[in-house]
Amino acid sequence: MASPAAGGGGRLADPLLATDVVVGPKDKYWVPADEREILASHRSGAGGDDGRAPLLYRTFRVKGPLINLYRLLTLVRVIVVILFFTWRMRHRDSDAMWLWWISVVGDLWFGVTWLLNQITKLRPRKCVPSISVLREQLDQPDGGSDLPLLDVFINTVDPVDEPMLYTMNSILSILATDYPVDKYATYFSDDGGSLVHYEGLQLAAEFAASWVPFCRKHCVEPRAPESYFWAKMRGEYAGTAPKEFLDDHRRMRAAYEEFKVRLDGLSAAIEQRSEACNRANGKEEGADATWMADGSTQWQGTWIKPAKGHRKGHHPAILQVMLDQPSKDPELGMAASSGHPLDLSAVDARLPMLVYIAREKRPGYDHQKKAGAMNVQLRVSALLSNAPFIINFDGDHYVNNSQAFRAAMCFMLDPRDGADTAFVQFPQRFDDVDPTDRYCNHNRMFFDATLLGLNGIQGPSFVGTGCMFRRVALYSADPPRWRPDDAKEAKASRYRPNMFGKSTSFINSVPAAANQERSVPSPATVGEAELADAMTCAYEDGTEWGNDVGWVYNIATEDVVTGFRLHRTGWRSTYCAMEPDAFRGTAPINLTERLYQILRWSGGSLEMFFSRFCPLLAGRRLHPMQRIAYINMTTYPVSTFFICMYYFYPVMWLFQGEFYIQRPFQTFALFVVIVIATVELIGMVEIRWAGLTPLDWFRNEQFYIIGTTGVYPMAMLHIILRSLGIKGVSFKLTAKKLTSGTRERLAELYDVQWVPLLVPTVVVMAVNVAAIGAAAGKAIAGRWSAAQVAGAASGLVFNVWMLLLLYPFALGIMGRWSKRPYILFIVLVTAVAATASVYVALAGSLPYLHSGIKLV
């Protein structure tokens, strides 16, 4: 595939540099940054005389002219900001000095935080896996593979907030991914302990017996059936039986529709079955129990009608192996028959190991939400398969590119710095977002610009899902480059007593977890009692779980703080974006749900800064630029204090005459224009090398402003309450609604859920509308001259700009009326006219209302 240096397409001119690395139109500003390493690797040969192994990924940098322009503009803006502050300190002249000081401190804060964010993006790097080289090195001619073992974690809680169809599609895509079937196991964590998830997983395993071989036979993409069957465009056929494809496709789709019907009817079927069993068994055996499919066994988890020991937050641990560990040798499927119309006789029909987990929950314990569930998965998987690598998913994300697991392995196994890589983070991409991305769900400025910048330092932060980990890194092991020469291997004896708990089997599994060359799973010899003990609430008492082991507890953003802990220890990470996207999922397209999501992120960021995981307290193993990045990630909500002051400055239009925040105004205005112009120009250059559009950039600006009006103040309140020993704000789990069926596509976009979180932003909008109306009323009542109107108009630019930035929010609170955006324009014009009319009517009795005013 083409190198960026080669132009628009084709392959690299130098055959020594040729790889399978695909460079698309978005990559035209990127050129190879690792030519010398690639040439040295090829000339030594695989297993050559100097013992060098082939490199498994390519590194690209932004072309010199573009990145140098980006750096130059950054330097220019720094100089302008310094001159601006110097000028302001020499001209302490204002009509309200207390406002002047607030504006100066606010501008200083914005300048510093902008610089902290900017300097981490001055050396962006794009890392692209060489999957064909990985195949050449580790895939065997007989169909076997030397790829390392892998454990896959998938988490869900509520089948209503996280629809079953999404969750089971995620499972099916994982079972069908292109990774040696005997080399990975999937652990499904049902944190609600519901029978509908258990039986849904059984149905998915049953359907997978046909779906997975179908995917292998015809090489279909993506391998989540819901996405595959509803895809409008497909590439060229890549399977081995083109003549059979159409018939197989039709039969498989019919089978999938039947699977969906059964899945959709599970809740009702379980309820009807339980009512029948309760009537048959009478009160003495539990009249309100929930019964399993055999009709004779009560479900151990939560019941439909909650009872003691069988409700959310109070039920025993459950573990069930749904699909056993497959054999090492291929097992061909069945030939076509009347009862089995698909011919799978030439396809490997094995399925990977699949395990259902519902951890124990008891009243009085803090179960630590997702982090606690994943730590249980970490222990159970260590006792069953103990793979050296782990990849995690949320229940609404699926594998969109079947090569994704292999892509991540390219970075973990690369001979340069693979051994020091703790995790590989993929971007989050979504299917159900509206075409204009109204609420900035894709967050492309973060994923396609900020994380590429971090890729050139110590690596991206962990963002919650779609991330492959090295198991021993989660066990608090030091990376090889920071270990003493006599302790290059991770050994259980090196850890503190009772660090992992009292499970001898788990402690003994730690050294094996460090062996990434182990390609055969260890036979599970642990007993059921020890497995059950690893899932109990009390297991972690007195241990380091949730602190220095596993995923971190007691912070809402357990993902970011866990990644920070690994970076603080000296590990690095890698960001990998693929085409097609590695993983895709669903996003909250309802305004209220989106704001709650941002509230959880911003509140958790502040919690992290004021905890023992504060970036300022990290040791020398954290790269200085990485430290700056984490400082910026954990303090950004503080900006809300200063921005809110700017939001409410327009109130002066209502109560004041002529008013200047800074004199002389003309020079101040010139500085402001230059400062704003330079940051916008830098943004335009940034989206060029990041492969983004002006709309991506503008959506990011809009939702930052929306966040600072209502969400970040709530996050600040949360951290203040926490510092006073009060519980603080409760962070709500983001709900995902099912968009298939009879409901209109994107219907959730037009739902309005009025909550207090919306009120501050509504107030800000009202203030800016009132300010514009007040100015118009004063101009009419006071019969302003053209010069006065022009002066007022310069102040009103801020108000108009604020309303433009809050435009997505305004559409969101309009509900279905937002389908006709012109209605919003009519409402705003009417509100301005009404305010102006009130001023004109009151001008005679309140003369100060029509006094001239300039607010800056």
Side-chain angles (χ1 to χ4, degrees):
M1 149 154 197
S3 162
R11 289 188 172 269
L12 292 167
D14 189 339
L16 290 177
L17 296 179
T19 68
D20 63 336
V21 173
V22 178
V23 180
K26 295 195 303 182
D27 303 315
K28 62 182 179 180
Y29 296 109
W30 296 79
V31 294
D34 55 0
E35 297 97 328
R36 293 182 180 179
E37 295 173 322
I38 292 291
L39 289 171
S41 174
H42 277 279
R43 286 167 181 157
S44 67
D49 295 338
D50 60 359
R52 293 189 185 182
L55 306 184
L56 298 179
Y57 71 88
R58 297 296 310 275
T59 303
F60 294 86
R61 58 179 175 82
V62 181
K63 287 182 178 179
L66 188 62
I67 193 63
N68 289 334
L69 174 62
Y70 186 69
R71 293 165 179 167
L72 176 62
L73 289 173
T74 300
L75 178 61
V76 168
R77 188 171 193 271
V78 170
I79 294 173
V80 169
V81 169
I82 292 174
L83 292 175
F84 178 50
F85 280 111
T86 302
W87 179 84
R88 292 203 73 181
M89 295 307 296
R90 290 177 178 174
H91 297 79
R92 304 182 187 182
D93 189 1
S94 172
D95 292 339
M97 286 305 297
W98 66 276
L99 280 178
W100 183 89
W101 277 110
I102 291 177
S103 70
V104 168
V105 174
D107 289 343
L108 178 62
W109 172 265
F110 296 140
V112 171
T113 55
W114 169 83
L115 184 60
L116 292 180
N117 180 63
Q118 196 64 25
I119 60 177
T120 60
K121 295 187 286 187
L122 297 181
R123 189 177 176 270
R125 289 293 184 268
K126 183 173 290 188
C127 299
V128 185
S130 300
I131 298 175
S132 65
V133 179
L134 182 77
R135 289 184 181 276
E136 291 173 4
Q137 294 301 307
L138 298 179
D139 285 0
Q140 301 169 359
D142 61 357
S145 176
D146 290 328
L147 281 166
L149 300 177
L150 174 65
D151 286 336
V152 184
F153 295 174
I154 180 168
N155 299 83
T156 190
V157 180
D158 193 314
V160 176
D161 286 341
E162 298 172 304
M164 283 274 288
L165 185 63
Y166 293 156
T167 305
M168 295 307 136
N169 264 269
S170 179
I171 290 290
L172 290 168
S173 71
I174 293 169
L175 297 179
T177 195
D178 183 13
Y179 200 81
V181 67
D182 58 322
K183 296 297 181 69
Y184 74 105
T186 303
Y187 294 86
F188 178 84
S189 173
D190 173 18
D191 220 28
S194 63
L195 182 57
V196 68
H197 273 141
Y198 181 90
E199 295 194 3
L201 197 61
Q202 288 180 321
L203 288 179
E206 180 183 330
F207 178 70
S210 298
W211 171 250
V212 172
F214 167 78
C215 293
R216 292 173 184 160
K217 179 179 179 179
H218 298 294
C219 298
V220 304
E221 297 283 350
R223 299 189 177 183
E226 184 71 12
S227 298
Y228 172 71
F229 287 123
W230 290 102
K232 294 181 179 179
M233 298 293 292
R234 295 190 180 89
E236 295 182 2
Y237 180 79
T240 59
K243 295 181 179 180
E244 302 174 28
F245 174 66
L246 290 179
D247 286 340
D248 286 357
H249 181 276
R250 176 175 50 80
R251 291 169 181 142
M252 201 69 247
R253 181 160 188 167
Y256 177 62
E257 293 299 327
E258 180 184 349
F259 166 75
K260 288 205 297 183
V261 170
R262 295 177 66 189
L263 198 64
D264 189 53
L266 264 184
S267 294
I270 292 172
E271 188 170 358
Q272 292 171 5
R273 175 208 309 153
S274 298
E275 289 177 356
C277 290
N278 287 329
R279 285 195 302 267
N281 287 279
K283 293 277 186 180
E284 61 277 4
E285 293 195 27
D288 294 327
T290 296
W291 295 78
M292 299 181 69
D294 60 7
S296 60
T297 307
Q298 292 184 2
W299 174 240
Q300 293 183 343
T302 57
W303 287 355
I304 297 172
K305 296 181 179 180
K308 184 177 180 180
H310 297 283
R311 62 174 181 264
K312 288 185 178 180
H314 189 195
H315 58 77
I318 307 169
L319 186 144
Q320 180 64 48
V321 178
M322 296 287 189
L323 295 172
D324 292 324
Q325 174 69 31
S327 63
K328 185 178 181 180
D329 300 322
E331 297 176 1
L332 300 181
M334 297 172 58
S337 63
S338 57
H340 190 274
L342 270 66
D343 182 8
L344 304 176
S345 58
V347 183
D348 186 0
R350 291 176 300 164
L351 297 176
M353 184 177 176
L354 176 63
V355 181
Y356 173 91
I357 298 173
R359 57 179 171 147
E360 180 194 41
K361 288 191 173 182
R362 290 183 185 177
Y365 278 88
D366 186 346
H367 300 108
Q368 301 295 344
K369 301 178 181 177
K370 179 181 174 181
M374 293 181 72
N375 282 340
V376 170
Q377 286 175 302
L378 195 59
R379 292 194 294 272
V380 171
S381 63
L383 298 175
L384 292 179
S385 51
N386 199 30
F389 299 103
I390 295 162
I391 190 165
N392 80 295
F393 293 93
D394 288 343
D396 60 334
H397 278 67
Y398 66 88
V399 181
N400 183 65
N401 187 332
S402 64
Q403 305 299 311
F405 293 0
R406 291 177 179 267
M409 283 298 176
C410 289
F411 302 104
M412 289 295 194
L413 304 179
D414 187 84
R416 288 167 292 187
D417 49 19
D420 291 309
T421 299
F423 61 93
V424 178
Q425 178 66 62
F426 291 87
Q428 293 184 15
R429 307 296 194 207
F430 304 104
D431 287 329
D432 60 340
V433 176
D434 63 293
T436 63
D437 192 15
R438 180 191 289 180
Y439 301 137
C440 196
N441 289 104
H442 287 304
N443 205 2
R444 292 192 182 276
M445 290 300 294
F446 175 74
F447 283 110
D448 296 327
T450 300
L451 293 191
L452 288 178
L454 294 180
N455 230 16
I457 308 174
Q458 200 173 343
S461 57
F462 170 40
V463 295
T465 184
C467 186
M468 180 177 286
F469 288 91
R470 189 178 298 273
R471 184 182 286 267
V472 293
L474 292 170
Y475 290 168
S476 199
D478 290 331
R481 67 193 183 100
W482 288 102
R483 294 175 194 163
D485 292 336
D486 59 347
K488 290 298 181 183
E489 298 295 332
K491 298 180 180 179
S493 59
R494 294 182 54 244
Y495 298 104
R496 296 184 294 277
N498 206 35
M499 184 175 181
F500 300 113
K502 298 180 180 179
S503 172
T504 304
S505 297
F506 179 85
I507 295 171
N508 292 337
S509 74
V510 172
N515 181 12
Q516 69 182 35
E517 297 180 358
R518 182 171 57 90
S519 59
V520 178
S522 305
T525 57
V526 63
E528 292 184 5
E530 194 161 9
L531 281 168
D533 182 59
M535 295 188 288
T536 60
C537 300
Y539 181 87
E540 297 179 352
D541 293 347
T543 70
E544 293 296 326
W545 287 98
N547 290 310
D548 292 330
V549 178
W551 282 266
V552 176
Y553 292 161
N554 296 316
I555 294 180
T557 49
E558 80 288 331
D559 47 5
V560 176
V561 71
T562 300
F564 168 76
R565 193 194 74 203
L566 299 178
H567 283 140
R568 184 184 66 178
T569 310
W571 291 96
R572 59 166 288 108
S573 59
T574 303
Y575 179 67
C576 175
M578 302 177 64
E579 290 292 343
D581 297 324
F583 314 117
R584 295 188 73 87
T586 57
I589 61 172
N590 175 266
L591 175 62
T592 303
E593 293 293 341
R594 176 68 168 137
L595 293 179
Y596 274 126
Q597 185 182 58
I598 296 174
L599 175 61
R600 188 175 73 252
W601 293 344
S602 55
S605 296
L606 288 171
E607 283 181 340
M608 177 177 166
F609 185 80
F610 291 101
S611 72
R612 71 185 186 91
F613 295 102
C614 176
L616 296 174
L617 304 179
R620 64 187 180 92
R621 295 187 182 184
L622 187 68
H623 191 284
M625 289 294 101
Q626 196 78 14
R627 187 190 306 272
I628 289 174
Y630 275 113
I631 291 172
N632 195 51
M633 284 183 206
T634 54
T635 58
Y636 69 90
V638 177
S639 300
T640 188
F641 174 78
F642 302 106
I643 292 182
C644 283
M645 295 299 297
Y646 285 114
Y647 291 157
F648 292 106
Y649 280 165
V651 173
M652 295 298 181
W653 283 102
L654 308 178
F655 304 111
Q656 291 288 337
E658 187 173 279
F659 182 87
Y660 291 94
I661 292 177
Q662 176 70 63
R663 297 173 184 268
F665 167 67
Q666 291 79 7
T667 306
F668 175 72
L670 179 62
F671 266 118
V672 171
V673 169
I674 295 174
V675 168
I676 294 176
T678 53
V679 76
E680 308 304 341
L681 188 58
I682 290 170
M684 292 301 101
V685 176
E686 184 172 317
I687 65 175
R688 296 287 282 181
W689 60 254
L692 304 177
T693 66
L695 181 60
D696 293 324
W697 170 82
F698 191 54
R699 284 285 186 254
N700 184 74
E701 295 292 303
Q702 286 179 314
F703 235 77
Y704 174 75
I705 294 299
I706 292 171
T708 57
T709 56
V711 179
Y712 298 169
M714 189 67 72
M716 291 289 292
L717 175 63
H718 167 74
I719 203 65
I720 292 172
L721 292 176
R722 286 284 297 264
S723 66
L724 296 175
I726 305 173
K727 182 179 180 181
V729 178
S730 296
F731 297 123
K732 180 179 178 290
L733 176 69
T734 305
K736 313 290 175 59
K737 302 301 181 184
L738 192 61
T739 56
S740 62
T742 59
R743 197 174 189 219
E744 174 192 359
R745 183 177 180 270
L746 301 179
E748 188 186 353
L749 186 70
Y750 308 111
D751 291 342
V752 182
Q753 302 173 19
W754 284 99
V755 294
L757 201 61
L758 302 179
V759 174
T761 311
V762 173
V763 172
V764 170
M765 289 185 61
V767 166
N768 282 275
V769 170
I772 297 172
K778 289 182 179 183
I780 296 171
R783 297 180 181 180
W784 287 359
S785 65
Q788 286 177 305
V789 172
S794 64
L796 292 175
V797 170
F798 172 81
N799 306 107
V800 175
W801 179 245
M802 286 305 305
L803 291 176
L804 187 60
L805 290 173
L806 295 175
Y807 174 72
F809 178 89
L811 289 179
I813 62 175
M814 287 174 62
R816 292 194 168 274
W817 292 102
S818 66
K819 292 182 178 182
R820 302 174 181 85
Y822 64 84
I823 295 178
L824 175 60
F825 177 77
I826 294 173
V827 170
L828 291 177
V829 171
T830 302
V832 169
T835 307
S837 300
V838 171
Y839 262 80
V840 171
L842 296 177
S845 57
L846 301 173
Y848 76 88
L849 287 177
H850 56 83
S851 301
I853 177 170
K854 293 177 185 176
L855 174 68
V856 182

